[in-house]
């Protein structure tokens, strides 16, 4: 976190504390692309889907976005930047609240995931993030079931463990 302290000898008519928010998607993209021109980080977020994913994952904070962009630059060529960011993005909403931006990012990542392990992890995370949507119970169940099927097909114990953990969260309810 960063704190900015500004003082003035004359009253400005402002409240005692101002909270700064993240940049808009357009401003963040410009800051990351222009500020890192020529770096692999700038090339990693050249595609529109990656720029949107970077904005959601960083919550518009330039320092976080630049760090994530550099992380993307180090990805293997076969890894998708949107899938990578969707699996690592922290939700901005409180428990049982729905983070619509993160949901959209996960849905985009689900479309782009090319291997069973990545798709299973994305679908399981999406199911968990939908927990706060009372109308999404059937969708959560379907997503969790598909994620489990894919995870079992991979034969990877780590993927299976991650999906089972996310499934438990996604299907939680007081009656259960």
């Amino acid at each position: 976190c960063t704190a900015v302290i500004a003082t003035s000898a004359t009253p400005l008519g402002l409240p005692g504390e101002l909270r700064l928010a993240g940049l808009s998607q357009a401003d963040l993209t410009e800051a990351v692309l222009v500020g890192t021109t020529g770096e692999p980080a700038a090339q990693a977020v050249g595609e529109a889907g990656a720029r949107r994913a970077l904005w959601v994952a960083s919550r518009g904070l330039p320092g976080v976005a630049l760090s994530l962009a550099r992380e993307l630059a180090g990805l293997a060529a076969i890894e998708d930047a949107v899938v990578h960011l969707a699996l690592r993005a922290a939700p901005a909403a409180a428990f049982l609240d729905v983070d619509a931006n993160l949901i959209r990012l996960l849905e985009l990542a689900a479309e782009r995931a090319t291997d069973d392990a990545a798709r299973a992890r994305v679908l399981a995370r999406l199911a968990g993030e939908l927990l706060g949507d009372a109308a999404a119970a059937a969708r959560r169940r379907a997503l969790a079931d598909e994620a489990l099927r894919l995870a079992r097909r991979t034969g990877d114990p780590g993927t299976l463990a991650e999906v089972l953990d996310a499934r438990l969260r996604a299907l939680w309810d007081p009656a259960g």
Side-chain angles (χ1 to χ4, degrees):
C1 292
T2 302
V4 177
I5 300 173
T7 61
S8 171
T10 58
L12 300 175
L14 300 172
E17 181 177 311
L18 296 174
R19 294 202 179 259
L20 302 177
L23 300 174
S24 69
Q25 183 178 344
D27 289 343
L28 181 73
T29 298
E30 184 176 335
V32 171
L33 290 178
V34 172
T36 60
T37 302
E39 281 189 35
Q43 296 164 2
V45 292
E47 184 229 334
R51 289 193 300 266
R52 172 91 176 141
L54 183 66
W55 177 70
V56 171
S58 70
R59 302 294 171 215
L61 301 174
V64 175
L66 190 53
S67 174
L68 289 172
R70 287 185 177 130
E71 185 179 313
L72 291 178
L75 286 182
I78 58 169
E79 278 191 86
D80 186 274
V82 173
V83 172
H84 181 83
L85 289 170
L87 289 171
R88 286 158 183 76
F95 180 65
L96 294 181
D97 285 339
V98 177
D99 183 346
N101 282 328
L102 182 54
I103 297 296
R104 284 191 287 277
L105 176 58
L106 287 163
E107 288 170 341
L108 178 61
E111 294 171 7
R112 294 172 62 126
T114 56
D115 65 285
D116 287 347
R119 185 161 168 74
R121 293 172 65 217
V122 168
L123 293 177
R125 172 108 195 256
L126 178 56
E129 292 299 330
L130 287 169
L131 183 60
D133 184 352
R139 182 173 183 214
R140 284 194 324 269
R141 168 71 66 183
L143 288 167
D145 288 348
E146 176 67 7
L148 184 57
R149 186 185 67 72
L150 291 169
R152 284 188 171 137
R153 193 163 75 183
T154 68
D156 175 33
T159 300
L160 182 58
E162 186 176 338
V163 166
L164 285 170
D165 183 55
R167 178 184 171 84
L168 179 64
R169 178 174 177 246
L171 301 180
W172 174 88
D173 70 54

